[in-house]
Structure formats: structure tokens, C-alpha cells
Amino acid sequence: MKNMTLARIAQVVDGKLVLPAGKEALKNEEIAGAVNDNRKVEKDFLFIPMVGARVDGHDFIEDAFSKGALASLSERELESASGPYIIVDDTKVALKKIAADYRMQLQIPVIGVIGSVGKTSTKEMITSVLETKFKVLKTEGNFNNEIGLPLTICRIKSEHQVAVVEMGISDFGEMHRLGEIAKPNVVVMTNIGQCHLEFLKNRDGILRAKTEVFEHMPKNGIVVLNGDDDKLINADTLGLQKLFYGLNGQEISASSVEAEGISGTKATMNVAGQIFDVTINLPGTHNVMNGLAAAAVGKVLGLSVEEIKQGLENAGTIAGRNNIINIGDVTIIDDCYNANPVSMKASIEVLGKAPGRTIAILGDMGELGADERKLHYEMGQALEENHIGYVFTVGELSEEINKSLSQKNSSCMAHHYRAVDDMLQDLLPIIRGGDTILVKASHFMNFSAVVEAIKAKLA
């Protein structure tokens, strides 16, 4: 990390640098990176121990040194430390200060991806497009919060030409803090949906919280907005340039959207007057929207339509995010990383386009606030409209889905369970060739275990 010497870091974090006897010259050494997991330490890294509910990272400082760490942060004085360390009041706060200072030195554009639904998939698609021309650093997994984002910034190296970072929040003020660190040149806003209502109350609150980022963008920054979203079409971007995408005649638009079952989606795209056909190897109209966002970013960064098309057609799935798993003639749609009403309806629509027998395994959606039961109940309508054959629900809130189907006298064969193990006892024996199975719930439901159980059954 250029210019990030131990002396500079100590100054940035208002900390005290403690050097081993006779090792004063180390204060001028630059760190190669920063991590908060001792298992990920590499040569000359800065280790950032954090105190959690069950584990105190300070217990692993010596292990980090043994793996080649140049230095460590610490919230207390250390006895017989085998390497340099910097004493700080709070290592989490110190991490954010380090990342913010490092970001100010970087000359590469940073693309921030924000929204209620589709951030990770859109980030992956943007990366796929930009990688046709640039060396790209992207957020790994779901490292999008006040720890994950600064760790991502600290991974940027001299060879990177652009960074694509996901920025996720659940309350007011968080986007201000993320914006202060990332200072994005381009922000992509996918939508304003019904997420984190427990804290943000309604969609207007969500919009207000997410648009806090605009205060931390440069004056020549560009905001890429979903023009089909009723909240974003009129969003105040504080004078920043807007670029809209969508299905309704925006500057970056798509038409002739055609589902290829669950194997992908065809569309004709118009990128500022340049028209081309593209096949996205991901199911669902929502992935065409994600592709349009990626095309918009490609346009902003000067890519040709040939490069944009290539990147869109190279985009793939990731585990837990509409990931299609084929085992024999059974298809699993692994979409169990997270869930909210918008994404669950989109996943149900994808399942509805599958041939053969369709099975939806659905769990609770979290942080929906006072209307959480009503929002679960409404999923019954989506299941009915998409003619899903079998529905297995698990969890207290998901019982509302089952109630909805029962009260509608739905043709869906619906079953509800309190526990995953009970559900699996009934589900696994009925799976047969030709089935398509959707697994969808919020992350806390641990539905990845359901995916693994189905895979083990079919192995």
C-alpha cells in the first residue's frame, strides 16, 4: 500500500507506534495490505485484531507475526510482542481511518454499488464488463459494511485500474460513513425496495439513507440510476450528473426481453443509440436490469459496445445468488444468501419459467418492520400467479405464506414447518428427475444447509 508506512498509519489513527528494540527503521516500512483475520495474513501485512462477542483478535497477534505480518494494531499494550504494533482506542475505527487515508491517495475510479436488491449480482456484472478492458478490484462476497468496505479498499494494489465496491446499510448515517471511506466517482443505485424497514421505516426513509453517499462524491461524479424505479426517477443527486437505465426508453435501455427458461435471458440493448443483441446467461428480467446498470458503467468508463456485450455474456452466477446447480436432470436454484419481498418475487418468477415440476423452499425474510407478516403473506399471490407446484415454508413468519395459499384455495401443494430438519424429512423423498427447486430465505435462516442436503441426496 503505497505511502502507508507504520509512521504514517500511527499518525492517521492517532495511535502510539511501539517498535522492538533496535528496529526503529521499521517505522518507514510500508504495509502490503491489511486484514482482520490472522488466517489471511501475508508477508508485510498489517493485522487488525477485533474484539467480538466470542473471539478476541488480540489472542492471534503473535500468530499473525509468525505468518509474516509487518505490524499489528492493538487496543492495549502487549508484553513481549515479536513485532511492531500501534496502540489505538478502537481497532474498528482505526481501520476506517486507514482506508479513508489510503483512498485519498488513489487515482483510480471507484464504482459504488448501492440499492435494496441486486447489489451483489450487479457488482459482479459490472466487474465482468469492466474486466474486458481493465484490471478490476471488486468486493469479495458480501464485504459491504463498515468493516468489509475498508478492508476492500485496503486490497487495492498498484496494478488495479478500477475498483467496484458494494455498499450496504441498514440505518441512517451508515452511508455517510461508507461514503467518507470510498468517495466513489460513480454510484450505481439499483432500486429502492422494502429492506431494513425495521430502522428506515419506509421507502422514502430508505431513499434518504442511501442517497447520503452523494455528499461524498466529487463534483464531476456520475450517478447511474434505475429509471424504472418510482423513487429513483426523481432522486435529488445534489447536482451530480445522472445517467438512467431501464426498460422504459431510458438512455441505456433494453427491449425484446425473452426468457430462455432458467438458463438465461435474451434482450436487445440500446446504449446511447448503439443497439445490439445480447444473451445473459442468468435467468430473469431482473438480471437484464443488472446488465443495463453494468452497460451504463461501461459507457461511463469508455468501453465499446463490443466490450460491453462480451462482458455481459461472460457474467456468471455466484453461490447463494440465483446460482443454477444441475445435478443429473434435477435443477437447484440456490438463492439462499438473502431475501426481501422484491428479490423473493423475482426468484419465484424465475422458478415459474422452469419446465417440469416446480418446488419452492422458502424461509423467513428479516428486518421488514411492522408489516413483516403482511409482506410474507403477499408471497402467496406470487406463487399462485407463477403456478408453482409445491411450496415448503420454514419459520415463524413464513407460515404467513402458507396461510395465504390455504385461504386462496391454491393449486400449490403447500407445507409449513418450524424446523429445517423436519422439512427435509418430507422434501427429500419426493424429489424426482425433472424437478426444479428454488431455495430462498434471508441469510440467518441458514438455508445453505438445505442446498447441501439436496445435493447430498442427489449425489
Side-chain angles (χ1 to χ4, degrees):
M1 295 172 64
K2 188 176 180 180
N3 295 329
M4 299 306 291
T5 64
L6 297 188
R8 181 187 180 105
I9 292 169
Q11 182 179 22
V12 166
V13 301
D14 298 317
K16 176 185 176 183
L17 175 59
V18 180
L19 296 164
K23 300 288 186 178
E24 287 76 11
L26 288 176
K27 69 180 181 181
N28 297 317
E29 293 291 317
E30 294 177 352
I31 62 170
V35 292
N36 67 336
D37 186 337
N38 59 300
R39 295 167 297 183
K40 297 180 180 179
V41 168
E42 298 179 29
K43 187 178 185 303
D44 291 335
F45 269 36
L46 174 68
F47 178 54
I48 303 176
M50 295 184 180
V51 180
R54 291 178 295 177
V55 177
D56 185 346
H58 291 76
D59 295 338
F60 302 96
I61 290 176
E62 284 304 315
D63 181 71
F65 281 131
S66 73
K67 291 176 178 175
L70 175 63
S72 177
L73 298 186
S74 178
E75 293 179 1
R76 52 182 177 262
E77 291 189 4
L78 303 175
E79 293 184 10
S80 304
S82 57
Y85 66 98
I86 300 171
I87 302 175
V88 297
D89 292 332
D90 187 318
T91 57
K92 297 182 181 70
V93 172
L95 168 62
K96 289 186 276 190
K97 289 180 178 180
I98 292 167
D101 183 73
Y102 184 53
R103 168 66 183 104
M104 291 297 292
Q105 302 180 58
L106 299 172
Q107 301 301 312
I108 67 172
V110 172
I111 315 300
V113 184
I114 294 168
S116 298
V117 181
K119 291 188 295 296
T120 301
S121 298
T122 301
K123 172 206 68 183
E124 294 292 326
M125 206 167 286
I126 291 171
T127 300
S128 183
V129 167
L130 295 182
E131 282 181 336
T132 63
K133 186 173 183 177
F134 301 113
K135 177 70 173 178
V136 183
L137 184 284
K138 68 176 180 178
T139 298
E140 293 294 342
N142 197 40
F143 270 43
N144 62 11
N145 59 17
E146 292 186 58
I147 294 176
L149 176 69
L151 287 171
T152 298
I153 296 294
C154 289
R155 290 177 47 236
I156 298 174
K157 298 183 182 299
S158 58
E159 65 263 27
H160 292 122
Q161 297 170 292
V162 61
V164 183
V165 299
E166 187 175 331
M167 304 170 74
I169 64 166
S170 60
D171 207 345
F172 295 106
E174 290 180 25
M175 192 60 80
H176 272 305
R177 295 190 290 273
L178 295 180
E180 287 173 343
I181 297 167
K183 289 188 165 47
N185 304 89
V186 179
V187 161
V188 177
M189 299 195 73
T190 62
N191 45 53
I192 301 298
Q194 295 166 309
C195 299
H196 308 301
L197 295 176
E198 180 180 357
F199 305 108
L200 302 177
K201 304 304 180 186
N202 52 42
R203 292 180 68 223
D204 288 327
I206 294 169
L207 176 65
R208 191 165 71 254
K210 291 186 184 297
T211 54
E212 291 172 355
V213 71
F214 298 154
E215 297 180 32
H216 306 284
M217 296 179 66
K219 291 182 179 180
N220 64 348
I222 298 175
V223 183
V224 176
L225 298 162
N226 177 353
D228 294 346
D229 187 288
D230 62 315
K231 297 295 183 183
L232 293 179
I233 191 66
N234 296 311
D236 180 3
T237 60
L238 305 183
L240 296 165
Q241 181 182 339
K242 301 178 185 181
L243 177 60
F244 288 103
Y245 68 92
L247 301 178
N248 298 316
Q250 312 295 347
E251 185 175 357
I252 311 295
S253 63
S255 59
S256 304
V257 178
E258 180 182 347
E260 297 281 293
I262 62 170
S263 62
T265 313
K266 290 183 177 180
T268 299
M269 287 194 175
N270 184 334
V271 178
Q274 294 183 283
I275 299 172
F276 59 95
D277 294 328
V278 64
T279 299
I280 296 173
N281 297 313
L282 301 167
T285 302
H286 60 289
N287 278 311
V288 174
M289 291 296 291
N290 296 342
L292 288 172
V297 174
K299 178 183 182 298
V300 169
L301 268 64
L303 272 67
S304 67
V305 293
E306 291 79 15
E307 289 167 330
I308 292 171
K309 174 182 168 71
Q310 178 187 343
L312 293 175
E313 294 190 335
N314 286 344
T317 61
I318 55 178
R321 310 278 186 169
N322 237 342
N323 184 28
I324 307 299
I325 303 169
N326 293 301
I327 303 178
D329 53 358
V330 173
T331 300
I332 306 168
I333 305 174
D334 170 16
D335 201 9
C336 65
Y337 188 84
N338 219 338
N340 56 62
V342 174
S343 68
M344 187 169 279
K345 286 178 182 178
S347 295
I348 291 169
E349 289 174 7
V350 168
L351 179 64
K353 292 179 172 63
R357 196 171 64 159
T358 52
I359 302 173
I361 305 169
L362 308 177
D364 291 356
M365 300 178 284
E367 296 185 0
L368 295 182
D371 290 333
E372 58 183 5
R373 292 190 176 276
K374 175 177 177 290
L375 293 169
H376 281 81
Y377 186 89
E378 291 172 354
M379 291 303 112
Q381 183 71 26
L383 291 160
E384 181 71 13
E385 290 175 353
N386 288 279
H387 309 291
I388 306 305
Y390 290 80
V391 180
F392 292 77
T393 57
V394 181
E396 180 181 351
L397 295 173
S398 292
E399 188 170 8
E400 296 297 320
I401 303 174
N402 189 274
K403 288 180 182 177
S404 173
L405 292 171
S406 298
Q407 291 171 6
K408 294 176 186 297
N409 293 317
S410 170
S411 59
C412 300
M413 299 289 290
H415 311 270
H416 178 72
Y417 304 85
R418 290 289 181 181
V420 166
D421 288 345
D422 294 337
M423 181 273 295
L424 288 172
Q425 286 185 8
D426 288 349
L427 168 72
L428 296 178
I430 73 164
I431 296 174
R432 68 188 189 203
D435 286 348
T436 301
I437 306 167
L438 167 66
V439 185
K440 180 75 173 174
S442 282
H443 190 57
F444 67 85
M445 292 295 293
N446 193 31
F447 265 30
S448 58
V450 175
V451 174
E452 293 305 314
I454 297 171
K455 288 164 65 177
K457 154 77 176 178
L458 298 171

